[in-house]
Amino acid sequence: MELDPHMVQNQSDTSLMEEGNWKRCSRKRASSSSSSSSSCSPINNLDDGCLMHIFSFLPPIPDRSVKELSEPGVFPSIETAVAASRPGDTILIAAGGVHCVSNIQIKKPICLVGAGELPDDTTLICSRGADSALEFLSTCKLANLTVKAELGCCLLHRKGRLTIDGCILQCETNPLDYLSCPIVSTANSTEVLPLQEKSNGDGVFVSQTRIEGGAKAVLTSGDLSLQRVRVIYARTSLLFWFDVEQM
């Protein structure tokens, strides 16, 4: 049986054409699959629990230095802000989170103000074993802050006029709460001041402040005394107004 050479040639061309088409289609599929795999990685199909488990084995990203993060007038802690402040400055303490403070001495007249809408938004915590969260040796003001102490006191007043306005002072309630006190004043007046000069003397002046826990609201070991006490019973707490000054 003889075969037509043209038919053989045509069949050969057809097979080559089909093979070429297959190769072109194959390359096209390979390229499309590679591009889709890059845009849709298998890791994207994992749920959040798997991803968190995987990421838990990775080392943390190293933090940048405080110097790189800092801006003019912004400080990493209350202690550094107090150290850098000048007399008459106001330190605005960021809301949210917890600020750890222990035995921070304030020897210049400054104001410390919480940046939140409520005093609960800005919390200072004094760790167990510290005498106080803040120690005042100058005329200062606290406003819109929550100060908590486990033992010891929240605020230690040694000298100057300390004004506390719209704050929350909390001492931890435990069997040793008789050792703690929200406010302790050890100030002593060295001389008897005339009535018109009493406004410039040492003292603690509290207004619209919630006080919880501790043996008593204020403890004085100097010659200042508690005066003009006023308490308002709110639904969930007590708000205090009082002065501690020379008689």
Side-chain angles (χ1 to χ4, degrees):
M1 180 178 178
E2 293 183 1
L3 299 176
D4 187 350
H6 295 289
M7 184 178 293
V8 174
Q9 182 67 32
N10 291 339
Q11 289 177 346
S12 176
D13 293 342
T14 302
S15 62
L16 289 174
M17 186 180 299
E18 290 176 353
E19 182 180 1
N21 289 336
W22 181 87
K23 288 180 179 179
R24 284 195 294 273
C25 291
S26 173
R27 286 194 295 269
K28 185 175 180 181
R29 290 195 191 96
S31 62
S32 63
S33 63
S34 62
S35 62
S36 63
S37 64
S38 62
S39 61
C40 185
S41 176
I43 197 172
N44 293 330
N45 297 325
L46 299 177
D47 59 26
D48 293 343
C50 292
L51 291 174
M52 293 299 294
H53 182 69
I54 293 171
F55 293 153
S56 67
F57 294 98
L58 300 177
I61 298 174
D63 294 333
R64 292 181 293 170
S65 65
V66 173
K67 184 176 180 181
E68 294 175 351
L69 293 173
S70 63
E71 300 177 5
V74 179
F75 301 90
S77 68
I78 296 176
E79 188 170 9
T80 55
V82 169
S85 66
R86 295 177 294 183
D89 282 352
T90 295
I91 298 176
L92 189 64
I93 303 174
V98 172
H99 305 272
C100 295
V101 290
S102 296
N103 298 328
I104 297 179
Q105 288 191 340
I106 303 177
K107 301 179 180 180
K108 60 191 91 172
I110 59 174
C111 296
L112 284 80
V113 180
E117 295 183 3
L118 300 171
D120 303 85
D121 297 334
T122 309
T123 302
L124 315 184
I125 290 187
C126 178
S127 60
R128 183 184 293 268
D131 294 332
S132 65
L134 303 171
E135 181 179 348
F136 298 92
L137 295 96
S138 182
T139 296
C140 296
K141 180 178 181 179
L142 262 67
N144 201 38
L145 289 171
T146 294
V147 184
K148 297 182 179 182
E150 295 186 12
L151 289 176
C153 64
C154 298
L155 308 176
L156 176 57
H157 169 250
R158 294 195 181 278
K159 188 179 179 182
R161 294 175 59 84
L162 174 59
T163 302
I164 306 167
D165 181 37
C167 292
I168 300 174
L169 306 180
Q170 294 179 337
C171 286
E172 180 180 331
T173 302
N174 56 47
L176 298 177
D177 61 358
Y178 66 92
L179 297 176
S180 61
C181 195
I183 303 172
V184 173
S185 176
T186 63
N188 282 294
S189 297
T190 57
E191 58 180 347
V192 178
L193 297 176
L195 182 61
Q196 64 271 19
E197 295 183 11
K198 276 192 174 183
S199 60
N200 298 321
D202 296 341
V204 180
F205 305 92
V206 177
S207 62
Q208 201 172 345
T209 292
R210 197 168 87 204
I211 297 178
E212 301 174 355
K216 55 177 66 176
V218 58
L219 175 65
T220 60
S221 60
D223 61 2
L224 304 185
S225 60
L226 184 63
Q227 302 178 46
R228 293 179 290 278
V229 179
R230 184 161 62 97
V231 180
I232 291 181
Y233 290 84
R235 180 173 297 177
T236 58
S237 60
L238 300 177
L239 297 179
F240 287 85
W241 283 256
F242 59 81
D243 300 336
V244 179
E245 60 182 341
Q246 186 181 10
M247 291 291 291

